[in-house]
């Protein structure tokens, strides 16, 4: 790798740009260096080394001067006092738009790291719809940060490596930028599984000399044969990347010595005609292995990759992979979309024709991401789409349609046109009728059967379709056509989920809790939220989580009340909670989450604003602050005419070892106690902490659970969690 200096960058730029562009890059460097002058990287180096390295990565991809300048300036708005207006004034609106697309949303407060990550990606995709260079700059930024990850804490190293492997490496693959993808994957593996990473490195080093000697001999044979036939070609060897070896070992359950394609041979020629000519030569020299030939020239991958792949039985009976492609295909294989980024009609104009079609997947992301109001669901769907393999099927006219692996005819129908998907009633595959849940295979010829009298898509289709595009279109249909039905269905689903979680629907499905949920999901009114539940835009479990969060937050605030009403008409009966308020009926009763009182505890009631009576243990830490207003304290007692169950929190501390969690769960099950939640973690000192929520009948029941857990091997302590 070249030394990271402005001179190295300008030299690289001069190889494909004019002098005016190089001068603009120098001016941007001076501006960035001055803006970051007071900052340092965690390595102790001046901060400017990072944007300079990002710009050099972009220059190695031969991106235009505008993208390289944006790479130099990508952190100035986020990390310095420079404003967007200053960027526009000094470098133009195009550079400012690229920088804005890459800038993180650091100034907005999010509820979770995952929500922040989702919103950052959403913003990046929106900017990317206007200019794909936004994502290429972001990938270059992530690549240099991964190269310098050794200066971060171990926890951050693992988190960044996991994020890179799940999001950014697959995005690089989607763009076809394999030079970045391979390096991101290898670095991520080094931090996520260093033992396996260095094991593979050492094994490859031992086998390298033997394999290189074999490959060199094969390449000499192939060069001589092609020369005799007057086929102009360059023959070279290619070592397999560490992460791809690791994937093959784990997914195919192979040992290192069972992997034969550690090195492959690549043949690069002038034309597509020569590609097939070389393929014929290879197959006359060595016997091809059945099922191991792939023609990515006739059927390119979604990321524009084209090549012929064949595996043959080489000399000494060893399997040997050979790849054949043109020089143009090789550029695309290495640099992907970056190799095709040209401007037809001035700044900001994307390439036309086939190149524009290659960005179809990103347009789909922009469509379906609007349907996901929950950050976690958005992230999970994005990861699925990024990681999914592809199948290639044909229309009856012979057009090739690319779909995620596992797709069904409904996915195909919606890929052709939304109206065809909505009117689909059946399908033929290879001229035979198949069920709509038939899994399509590469090479299938698919014909959709439609009807004008179709009632539209079925909700069951959401369970069988694989593509995010199809799911989005189906949800849109239900959202538009069945609003009243969706509202009813959504309200019922929320009520059922609340009952399933042993919560009171009338209490939580009312203000102010519903108002909080509406704000979280960006709905104007309750009917919109119920409609989204009905057509599957959000899940009932997500709404319940938001309702409980709002209730918990309001309880923690404990705002004073102006007046207390003890005769509200919509309150729970005392017998529904097992609590009796002395001298008062028809009160809403709920248990404080800070101390989780259970029968046998000495308890006291506290009247809250609009939320009835909150029951605490009398020795709860919060009671001391609440009791300052004595008029709001009530005497309450346990009712004993029924056998209720209550939530209690237990923490088990033990020696971390295999099977510990299972033993703890089995011990609790032996006491015939329901477990509603479990959270286990281990610290660096081999100490395990297991946090459980259990449903118990009374204090004696709780003591029996605790005593049973204490009898387990390697248990240090078992305690009830209260404030």
């Amino acid at each position: 790798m070249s030394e990271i200096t402005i001179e190295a960058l300008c030299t690289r730029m001069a190889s494909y740009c004019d002098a005016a562009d190089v001068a603009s890059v120098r001016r941007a460097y001076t501006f960035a260096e001055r803006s970051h002058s007071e900052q340092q990287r965690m390595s102790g180096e001046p901060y400017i080394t990072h944007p300079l390295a990002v710009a050099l990565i972009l220059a190695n991809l031969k991106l235009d001067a505008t993208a390289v300048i944006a790479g130099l300036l990508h952190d100035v708005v986020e990390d310095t006092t420079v404003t967007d207006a200053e960027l526009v004034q000094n470098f133009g609106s195009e550079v400012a738009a690229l920088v804005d697309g890459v800038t993180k949303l650091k100034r907005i407060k999010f509820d979770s790291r995952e929500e922040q990550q989702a919103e950052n990606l959403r913003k990046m995709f929106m900017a990317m719809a206007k200019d794909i260079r936004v994502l290429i700059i972001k990938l270059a930024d992530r690549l240099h940060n991964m190269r310098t990850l050794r200066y971060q804490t171990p926890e951050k190293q693992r988190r960044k490596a996991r994020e890179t492997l799940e999001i950014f490496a697959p995005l690089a693959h989607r763009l076809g930028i394999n030079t970045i993808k391979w390096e991101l994957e290898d670095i991520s593996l080094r931090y996520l599984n260093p033992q396996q990473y260095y094991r593979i490195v050492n094994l490859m080093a031992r086998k390298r000399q033997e394999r290189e000697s074999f490959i060199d001999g094969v390449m000499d044979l192939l060069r001589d044969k092609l020369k005799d036939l007057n086929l102009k070609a360059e023959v070279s060897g290619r070592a397999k990347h560490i992460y791809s070896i690791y994937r093959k070992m784990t997914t195919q359950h192979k040992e290192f010595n069972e992997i034969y394609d550690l090195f492959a041979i690549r043949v690069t020629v002038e034309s597509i005609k020569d590609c097939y000519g070389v393929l014929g030569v290879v197959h006359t020299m060595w016997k091809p292995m059945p099922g191991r030939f792939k023609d990515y020239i006739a059927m390119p991958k979604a990321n524009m990759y084209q090549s012929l792949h064949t595996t043959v039985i080489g000399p000494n009976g060893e399997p040997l992979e050979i790849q054949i492609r043109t020089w143009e295909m090789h550029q695309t294989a290495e640099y992907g979309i970056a190799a095709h980024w040209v401007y037809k009609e001035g700044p900001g104009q994307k390439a036309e024709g086939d190149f524009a079609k290659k960005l179809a997947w990103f347009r789909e992301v922009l469509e379906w991401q609007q349907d996901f109001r929950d950050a976690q669901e958005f992230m999970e769907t994005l990861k699925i789409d990024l990681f999914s393999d592809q199948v290639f099927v044909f229309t009856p006219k012979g057009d090739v349609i690319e779909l995620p692996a596992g797709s069904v005819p409904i996915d195909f129908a919606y890929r052709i046109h939304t109206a065809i998907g909505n009117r689909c009633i059946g399908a033929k595959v290879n001229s035979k009728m198949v069920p709509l849940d038939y899994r399509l295979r590469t090479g299938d010829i698919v014909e959709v059967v439609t009807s004008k009298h179709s009632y539209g898509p079925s909700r069951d289709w959401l369970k069988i379709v694989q593509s995010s595009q199809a799911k989005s279109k189906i949800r849109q249909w239900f959202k538009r056509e069945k609003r009243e039905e969706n509202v009813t269905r959504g309200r019922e689903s929320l009520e059922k989920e609340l009952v399933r979680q042993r919560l009171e629907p009338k209490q939580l499905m009312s203000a102010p809790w519903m108002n909080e949920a509406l704000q979280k999901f960006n709905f104007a009114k309750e009917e919109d939220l119920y409609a989204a539940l009905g057509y599957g835009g959000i899940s009932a479990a997500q709404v319940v989580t938001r309702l409980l969060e709002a209730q918990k937050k309001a309880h923690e605030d404990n705002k004073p009340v102006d007046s207390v009403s003890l005769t509200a008409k919509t309150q729970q009966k005392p017998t529904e909670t097992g609590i009796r308020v002395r001298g008062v009926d028809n009160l809403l009763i709920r248990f404080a989450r800070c101390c989780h009182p259970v029968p046998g505890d000495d308890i006291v009631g506290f009247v809250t604003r609009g939320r009835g009576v909150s029951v605490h243990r009398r020795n709860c830490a919060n009671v001391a602050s609440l009791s300052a207003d004595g008029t709001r304290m009530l005497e309450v007692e346990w009712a004993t005419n029924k056998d209720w169950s209550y939530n209690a929190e237990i923490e088990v501390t033990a020696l971390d070892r295999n099977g510990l969690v299972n033993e703890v769960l089995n011990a609790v099950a032996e006491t015939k106690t329901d477990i509603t939640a479990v959270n286990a973690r281990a610290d660096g000192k081999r100490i395990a902490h297991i946090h459980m929520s259990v449903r118990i009948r009374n204090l004696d029941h709780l003591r029996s659970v605790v005593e049973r857990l204490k009898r387990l091997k390697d248990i240090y302590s078992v305690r009830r969690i209260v404030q």
Side-chain angles (χ1 to χ4, degrees):
M1 180 177 173
S2 303
E3 184 182 356
I4 303 177
T5 64
I6 182 58
E7 296 304 325
L9 174 61
C10 290
T11 299
R12 186 72 182 99
M13 292 287 296
S15 67
Y16 67 94
C17 290
D18 58 31
D21 286 338
V22 175
S24 297
V25 169
R26 281 188 181 275
R27 186 167 64 87
Y29 170 78
T30 302
F31 185 92
E33 185 180 35
R34 184 172 64 250
S35 301
H36 292 293
S37 60
E38 303 298 324
Q39 297 173 324
Q40 283 188 330
R41 300 274 286 173
M42 291 193 71
S43 62
E45 297 175 302
Y47 192 90
I48 189 61
T49 58
H50 169 63
L52 185 59
V54 171
L56 187 57
I57 292 170
L58 297 172
N60 286 331
L61 294 175
K62 293 189 176 181
L63 261 71
D64 65 314
T66 302
V68 176
I69 290 170
L72 282 168
L73 302 172
H74 77 275
D75 273 337
V76 293
V77 174
E78 181 176 332
D79 293 335
T80 75
T81 59
V82 175
T83 64
D84 291 326
E86 289 180 79
L87 281 187
V88 173
Q89 182 180 355
N90 286 278
F91 300 99
S93 57
E94 188 180 0
V95 168
L98 290 175
V99 172
D100 181 65
V102 180
T103 300
K104 297 175 184 175
L105 307 179
K106 291 181 79 173
R107 299 174 180 85
I108 301 177
K109 184 178 179 181
F110 295 98
D111 291 339
S112 66
R113 183 185 301 277
E114 191 165 48
E115 184 177 348
Q116 182 174 11
Q117 183 190 44
E119 290 304 324
N120 283 333
L121 286 171
R122 287 186 204 230
K123 181 184 179 186
M124 187 171 66
F125 280 128
M126 292 298 292
M128 189 180 65
K130 301 175 183 177
D131 200 325
I132 194 66
R133 291 172 298 179
V134 167
L135 182 51
I136 301 176
I137 295 169
K138 184 63 181 176
L139 289 173
D141 173 50
R142 176 52 63 109
L143 177 57
H144 184 250
N145 281 331
M146 291 299 290
R147 286 174 177 173
T148 57
L149 198 59
R150 63 186 178 277
Y151 299 108
Q152 300 289 346
T153 63
E155 187 278 331
K156 191 168 185 178
Q157 288 174 350
R158 289 189 293 272
R159 177 165 55 79
K160 288 290 185 183
R162 175 60 59 193
E163 182 182 79
T164 298
L165 203 55
E166 291 181 347
I167 300 295
F168 291 98
L171 280 172
H173 173 69
R174 282 284 185 170
L175 292 180
I177 310 177
N178 286 315
T179 54
I180 289 182
K181 174 207 171 207
W182 292 327
E183 189 173 354
L184 288 177
E185 288 178 337
D186 284 356
I187 296 174
S188 297
L189 180 63
R190 187 199 313 167
Y191 289 102
L192 288 173
N193 196 336
Q195 184 177 0
Q196 279 288 67
Y197 174 85
Y198 288 109
R199 175 174 174 263
I200 293 172
V201 169
N202 292 332
L203 288 171
M204 287 185 71
R206 294 178 201 167
K207 207 169 184 179
R208 182 178 296 275
Q209 186 174 357
E210 171 193 342
R211 291 298 298 172
E212 285 184 346
S213 175
F214 169 75
I215 291 294
D216 287 343
V218 173
M219 288 195 297
D220 288 340
L221 289 174
L222 185 55
R223 285 192 190 100
D224 292 341
K225 187 69 173 179
L226 294 176
K227 187 176 181 181
D228 291 343
L229 296 173
N230 292 321
L231 276 170
K232 186 178 179 181
E234 180 176 303
V235 182
S236 59
R238 177 189 65 86
K240 201 173 185 72
H241 291 269
I242 297 169
Y243 182 74
S244 59
I245 295 173
Y246 170 78
R247 280 286 303 273
K248 181 165 284 192
M249 291 172 65
T250 54
T251 59
Q252 300 181 17
H253 306 291
K254 289 186 175 182
E255 293 297 324
F256 183 83
N257 56 12
E258 298 178 282
I259 299 176
Y260 296 102
D261 57 343
L262 295 174
F263 293 87
I265 292 177
R266 179 180 297 142
V267 183
T268 314
V269 295
E270 297 291 338
S271 67
I272 294 178
K273 175 185 174 183
D274 289 344
C275 288
Y276 290 99
V278 171
L279 178 68
V281 172
V282 169
H283 284 178
T284 57
M285 294 179 67
W286 301 292
K287 185 176 181 179
M289 292 180 65
R292 296 298 302 271
F293 169 66
K294 295 177 182 177
D295 189 343
Y296 293 121
I297 293 179
M299 298 177 65
K301 291 185 177 182
N303 59 12
M304 303 181 295
Y305 178 87
Q306 288 184 288
S307 186
L308 297 176
H309 288 198
T310 185
T311 302
V312 298
I313 304 298
N316 306 323
E318 286 200 39
L320 176 67
E321 183 184 40
I322 299 177
Q323 301 174 356
I324 308 165
R325 63 182 65 150
T326 66
W327 284 105
E328 183 180 356
M329 293 173 190
H330 179 64
Q331 287 292 106
T332 302
E334 294 294 306
Y335 305 120
I337 279 179
H340 287 250
W341 193 257
V342 294
Y343 294 88
K344 302 284 187 179
E345 301 173 10
Q349 181 67 34
K350 286 200 288 263
E352 299 174 352
D354 291 340
F355 169 66
K357 295 178 182 178
K358 303 304 180 182
L359 303 180
W361 178 80
F362 294 103
R363 288 195 297 272
E364 290 173 26
V365 169
L366 292 173
E367 289 178 10
W368 58 251
Q369 65 97 5
Q370 300 294 337
D371 293 335
F372 297 115
R373 296 178 180 270
D374 180 80
Q376 184 175 1
E377 187 176 5
F378 169 77
M379 291 302 299
E380 289 305 314
T381 307
L382 177 63
K383 291 172 187 178
I384 290 170
D385 269 39
L386 288 175
F387 276 124
S388 63
D389 293 326
Q390 307 295 310
V391 295
F392 299 90
V393 297
F394 295 93
T395 68
K397 294 183 178 180
D399 295 328
V400 179
I401 302 296
E402 175 203 353
L403 293 167
S407 290
V408 298
I410 302 170
D411 291 289
F412 176 88
Y414 278 104
R415 181 58 58 88
I416 299 301
H417 196 279
T418 301
I420 292 177
N422 289 339
R423 295 201 299 264
C424 174
I425 60 171
K428 293 181 180 179
V429 174
N430 303 325
S431 300
K432 295 181 180 179
M433 290 297 297
V434 297
L436 289 178
D437 61 355
Y438 171 84
R439 300 295 177 183
L440 298 174
R441 301 180 180 89
T442 294
D444 282 345
I445 301 173
V446 187
E447 181 181 355
V448 179
V449 181
T450 62
S451 171
K452 293 182 179 179
H453 304 292
S454 167
Y455 290 105
S458 164
R459 292 185 186 279
D460 292 335
W461 288 7
L462 290 169
K463 300 176 183 177
I464 61 175
V465 294
Q466 188 68 23
S467 64
S468 297
Q469 180 193 32
K471 291 179 181 178
S472 174
K473 297 300 183 183
I474 294 168
R475 288 184 177 126
Q476 285 178 14
W477 189 89
F478 281 108
K479 180 179 181 180
R480 183 177 61 254
E481 302 291 336
K482 302 282 187 178
R483 179 171 174 81
E484 290 185 7
E485 179 184 325
N486 287 333
V487 170
T488 302
R489 185 191 301 270
R491 184 182 287 108
E492 291 175 351
S493 69
L494 181 55
E495 288 176 350
K496 289 179 180 177
E497 180 64 20
L498 287 166
V499 171
R500 189 187 70 80
Q501 296 193 29
R502 300 181 182 180
L503 300 168
E504 175 55 45
K506 288 184 179 179
Q507 177 191 353
L508 285 169
M509 290 174 66
S510 60
W513 323 126
M514 287 299 292
N515 292 337
E516 290 283 340
L518 293 179
Q519 291 179 15
K520 288 291 186 181
F521 291 105
N522 297 318
F523 289 115
K525 50 187 178 179
E526 288 185 26
E527 286 75 11
D528 295 335
L529 183 144
Y530 292 141
L533 282 169
Y535 68 75
I538 55 176
S539 71
Q542 292 167 0
V543 177
V544 171
T545 299
R546 294 301 191 186
L547 292 174
L548 292 176
E549 286 175 356
Q551 188 186 58
K552 180 180 179 182
K553 180 181 177 182
H555 170 70
E556 290 172 349
D557 291 343
N558 279 314
K559 296 178 181 178
V561 295
D562 299 326
S563 61
V564 179
S565 172
L566 299 180
T567 57
K569 294 181 179 179
T570 58
Q571 309 296 349
Q572 286 180 308
K573 297 178 181 180
T575 54
E576 291 179 357
T577 58
I579 294 293
R580 182 180 296 114
V581 180
R582 297 174 190 173
V584 184
D585 290 330
N586 297 326
L587 283 179
L588 171 63
I589 304 293
R590 64 186 185 85
F591 294 107
R593 293 178 176 271
C594 53
C595 55
H596 295 288
V598 299
D601 286 330
D602 189 10
I603 55 177
V604 66
F606 175 77
V607 181
T608 63
R609 179 193 293 272
R611 293 176 287 112
V613 176
S614 175
V615 178
H616 294 256
R617 297 175 69 204
R618 195 175 293 274
N619 61 355
C620 172
N622 284 332
V623 169
S625 59
L626 299 176
S627 60
D629 185 356
T631 62
R632 298 171 61 192
M633 306 304 296
L634 294 177
E635 289 300 317
V636 295
E637 61 186 13
W638 296 103
T640 57
N641 59 335
K642 278 192 176 182
D643 192 16
W644 293 278
S645 65
Y646 304 86
N647 197 61
E649 306 287 320
I650 298 175
E651 183 176 68
V652 179
T653 305
L655 175 67
D656 184 26
R657 57 177 173 79
N658 290 335
L660 174 66
V661 175
N662 283 337
E663 290 182 23
V664 169
L665 297 181
N666 289 335
V668 175
E670 289 175 9
T671 65
K672 297 183 179 180
T673 303
D674 290 335
I675 301 175
T676 58
V678 177
N679 190 324
R681 62 183 177 83
D683 57 28
K685 300 178 182 179
R686 292 195 64 201
I687 304 299
H689 303 275
I690 304 172
H691 186 143
M692 292 184 294
S693 297
V694 296
R695 300 294 296 182
I696 60 99
R697 295 181 296 278
N698 50 45
L699 205 54
D700 289 338
H701 181 190
L702 179 61
R703 290 193 185 103
S704 69
V705 174
V706 172
E707 290 303 318
R708 176 65 185 89
L709 290 171
K710 286 182 177 179
R711 293 201 299 270
L712 292 176
K713 180 183 177 183
D714 298 327
I715 299 296
Y716 297 148
S717 68
V718 182
R719 68 184 185 94
R720 178 185 177 187
I721 301 176
V722 294
Q723 282 194 353

